[in-house]
Structure formats: C-alpha cells, structure tokens
Amino acid sequence: MKLHGLDLDLTGWFQVAWSGDIGPEQVVPLRYFGRDLVAYRGKDGVVRVHDRYCRHLGASLAHGGCVVDDGIQCPFHGWVWAPDGHNVSIPYQDRPNKARRLGAWPVVERNESIYVWFDHAGREPYWDVPSALTDAPQAAEREFHPAWPDGRAHYRDLHIHPQMVVENAVDPQHFRFVHRTPDTPVILEERVEGPTWWARAGFGGGWLRHAHDSDGKLRTDSYNTLEIIWSGMGVSVNVEHTGEGVRIITINVTPVEDGKTEIFATYWIDRNDGDLADGSYQRRLEQTKTALPDDVLIWENQIYLDPPAPTASEASGFRRMRAWANQFYPDGGAKNGPNTVGDNHIPTAATLKAGVSS
C-alpha cells in the first residue's frame, strides 16, 4: 500500500475502534491495512480481531457471526474459531479441523480505545501502547472525565500519511499560522528511545524568556507546556497544561488501504468540582476540539516533499524525525532509496525481512 509515494505497510500499533464501539458479545466488521477484518468482544469481555472470512467456505464472520464460549461462530455452518485462530468445533463432526487456522491479530485495549498490531514481516509486538492518562506526570496526578462518547472525532477517507502527522512534533513554527498562537512555542526537551519519540514544548513569553531557573537548569514545571509522545507512527499522546487545567488528546492515524487513511482523535479533560453542572467541562472540551480540524485541512491537501526545503532552524528537527521514522517502514526507509532533508543524507535503518502479517 502506498500514499504520496510513501509505504503504508508500517510497523506499529494502530487504533481501529473505540472501546465503546464494541459492546458485550458484539461482532463488528472492520477494514484496515488493506484487509477485511472482524472484531468481537468475547464472553470474557476481551476484544479479539481476526481475518474476516471463515476458513471453511469463506463466509463473512462479521455478518451474522456470533460470540460463543470458545470464540466466534460462523453463521454459515457453525464452525467455531478460538481466540488464537484455531478451529475448535464443527457441530456436525466429532473433531475440529486442525489444518485450517483463522488469522488472529494482536490487540490491546487501552485509553478507551482498541489498538491492533501490524507488521509487514509478521513479527510479534516488540513495544507497548502508552497510557494516555498516566504516562505524563502532570496527567497521572489528576482525574479525567471519560472520553466516551463526546470526546471523540473520527476522520474517514483521508489522504494523510502518518509521516505528515508525526513531523508536527518538530514543527513549532506552524502553531502561529495554523493555530494562531501569539508566539512560536519553544522546544524544551526531546528524547528518543527506540520506537518512542518524546518532546516537551513551552508556550508564551515566560518560556521564551525564562526556560531556565536561577541556577541555569531547565525548568521542570508543566504550566503552559505541551508534552508529546509518539509510539511508532500510529499512536500519539498530547498532554497540555493550560490555565484551566490539563487536557489530553490522542491523534492516531491508521492505514485503511492503498491511498487511504483514517484519524481517530480522543479527548480527555481533567475534572473540576461542579464542571458538569456549570457547563465548563463541555466548554473546555469543545475548545480543545477546535485545533485538529485546522491541522487536518492542511494535511489532507498537502503533498510529501522529499527533500523539503527547511530553513536552517528547521533542518535538524526534520532530519532527526525522518531518520527515526525510517525504522517503521518495511524496507527500513520511507521510499526505496535514501531519504534526504536539504543537503543532508539520512541513513536508513537495517533492512527488515519481507513477509505478510497473518
């Protein structure tokens, strides 16, 4: 799968639904990664995701299939497929079919969301999904309103490659023009550890003029800061501390098929006494949701330039981000050749073995 000349067969965790989309013993059709899938919540409350079509005669498990004690049952002939994909029952035969197996996808339910692991080489997950409500210190010490049902936005049928979205993490200049902030925020810290990109930005004159304390050390307080966590190119957590409190946004881009993606955005607002009764929660939520549509308008009508033409102050950030992102492509690079920023060559990651995820 390709989009803007970039591969969409990216390694990582990707959101495919919200938890509230899949109720008790509910069966739901999905289409992501160029594949027809089926999701269901088992009788034990756990969500599973499989390839959609029964390995008997190809019936759709997502259309008439039902949840049973041992897994999901095909509506055509009643074959039952276990969570690991094995056939465990054929109603009119005394033994299952051990030769056939239904593709089973690794799933994590967290952040009121359902994530599926995709890897072109078929490898098992080798990192975890971050916790939006606890991984940032200023979030862990607070209580938040549930995101479901109002704190969600789903953008379908997009032409936005995840690479375009992750590059926002090294692009503070866009805030003035896209989001109309008075000043450009300052990037205070960056930390890259394998598949995780973490950054902290400060907003306003206080951070621009006084990012360090009297001893010359970088301030650690969080007021008027934005903390950004990217976990691969499919999952992001944005924690912002404003004058009214802390708000959290996850902006997750998921490949659908060739040339097409979706964005799942989820919003949490920290609790204040009486904020439901006085309407301040709803006001803060709606205010928080105003920024992303401006980004989507840009991304949806943007092309991917390789190489781009960054200014001197921008080049190093884009160079680091594109080098980091290379690890998630199936060939270890965004394209079938070197990736560049300006005149600077970016080395690609080690080439991965080719294969197909089941």
Side-chain angles (χ1 to χ4, degrees):
M1 298 187 299
K2 296 279 188 178
L3 179 57
H4 298 296
L6 302 175
D7 213 317
L8 277 175
D9 290 326
L10 301 168
T11 294
W13 291 101
F14 297 92
Q15 186 173 350
V16 297
W18 282 282
S19 294
D21 291 329
I22 307 176
E25 300 182 34
Q26 186 176 1
V27 179
V28 177
L30 301 173
R31 181 167 176 82
Y32 293 102
F33 320 111
R35 294 157 170 81
D36 290 326
L37 307 173
V38 60
Y40 71 92
R41 191 176 295 278
K43 293 193 173 185
D44 58 0
V46 176
V47 172
R48 276 92 182 192
V49 175
H50 292 279
D51 293 340
R52 185 183 299 181
Y53 301 108
C54 180
R55 300 298 294 155
H56 172 214
L57 288 174
S60 170
L61 298 172
H63 299 87
C66 62
V67 175
V68 294
D69 288 342
D70 293 331
I72 185 169
Q73 185 173 49
C74 178
F76 198 10
H77 293 86
W79 288 36
V80 177
W81 302 93
D84 65 0
H86 284 98
N87 175 241
V88 292
S89 175
I90 299 174
Y92 47 90
Q93 181 174 286
D94 60 3
R95 64 185 183 280
N97 185 319
K98 295 182 179 181
R100 288 293 178 117
R101 186 172 181 180
L102 186 68
W105 295 67
V107 177
V108 166
E109 183 167 11
R110 191 168 296 150
N111 307 324
E112 299 185 54
S113 304
I114 308 297
Y115 304 90
V116 164
W117 171 264
F118 179 84
D119 181 62
H120 187 78
R123 296 171 297 183
E124 292 297 312
Y126 54 93
W127 76 84
D128 203 359
V129 176
S131 172
L133 302 184
T134 61
D135 280 3
Q138 66 267 36
E141 60 193 22
R142 296 169 183 258
E143 292 186 3
F144 291 83
H145 290 280
W148 182 273
D150 295 331
R152 302 172 298 133
H154 194 181
Y155 298 83
R156 297 177 172 89
D157 297 324
L158 299 176
H159 304 93
I160 298 173
H161 194 280
Q163 180 87 39
M164 297 171 169
V165 183
V166 301
E167 290 184 2
N168 256 25
V170 293
D171 183 18
Q173 297 295 339
H174 88 279
F175 280 92
R176 287 175 55 208
F177 304 98
V178 178
H179 304 304
R180 302 294 189 266
T181 60
D183 301 297
T184 297
V186 57
I187 302 297
L188 302 170
E189 299 177 86
E190 279 182 357
R191 186 169 62 247
V192 180
E193 297 176 353
T196 302
W197 181 288
W198 175 89
R200 186 167 69 105
F203 288 78
W207 284 105
L208 288 170
R209 294 186 297 270
H210 305 293
H212 296 81
D213 60 23
S214 57
D215 296 325
K217 295 181 180 179
L218 185 67
R219 289 164 46 195
T220 59
D221 53 298
S222 64
Y223 182 67
N224 277 351
T225 66
L226 172 65
E227 189 167 332
I228 305 168
I229 303 169
W230 274 101
S231 180
M233 288 206 288
V235 179
S236 76
V237 179
N238 304 268
V239 183
E240 188 174 4
H241 190 174
T242 71
E244 291 190 289
V246 173
R247 56 195 189 187
I248 300 174
I249 311 168
T250 59
I251 302 171
N252 302 330
V253 189
T254 303
V256 176
E257 55 197 351
D258 197 41
K260 188 181 296 185
T261 58
E262 293 182 358
I263 289 179
F264 293 84
T266 311
Y267 303 85
W268 292 269
I269 305 296
D270 65 341
R271 293 180 182 272
N272 292 317
D273 291 341
D275 61 358
L276 291 177
D278 65 16
S280 59
Y281 162 71
Q282 194 66 34
R283 175 183 55 78
R284 290 177 63 199
L285 175 61
E286 294 307 316
Q287 181 186 47
T288 303
K289 294 168 75 172
T290 60
L292 183 57
D294 294 331
D295 287 309
V296 171
L297 179 64
I298 298 292
W299 297 327
E300 178 66 0
N301 296 284
Q302 178 184 1
I303 63 171
Y304 183 81
L305 288 181
D306 184 19
T311 65
S313 64
E314 296 170 323
S316 63
F318 277 87
R319 186 164 58 249
R320 293 192 306 275
M321 175 58 78
R322 291 193 175 188
W324 172 80
N326 277 345
Q327 67 184 292
F328 307 112
Y329 288 91
D331 61 354
K335 294 186 178 180
N336 293 322
N339 193 326
T340 57
V341 175
D343 296 326
N344 299 288
H345 174 70
I346 297 178
T348 60
T351 300
L352 305 179
K353 294 181 180 179
V356 178
S357 178
S358 62

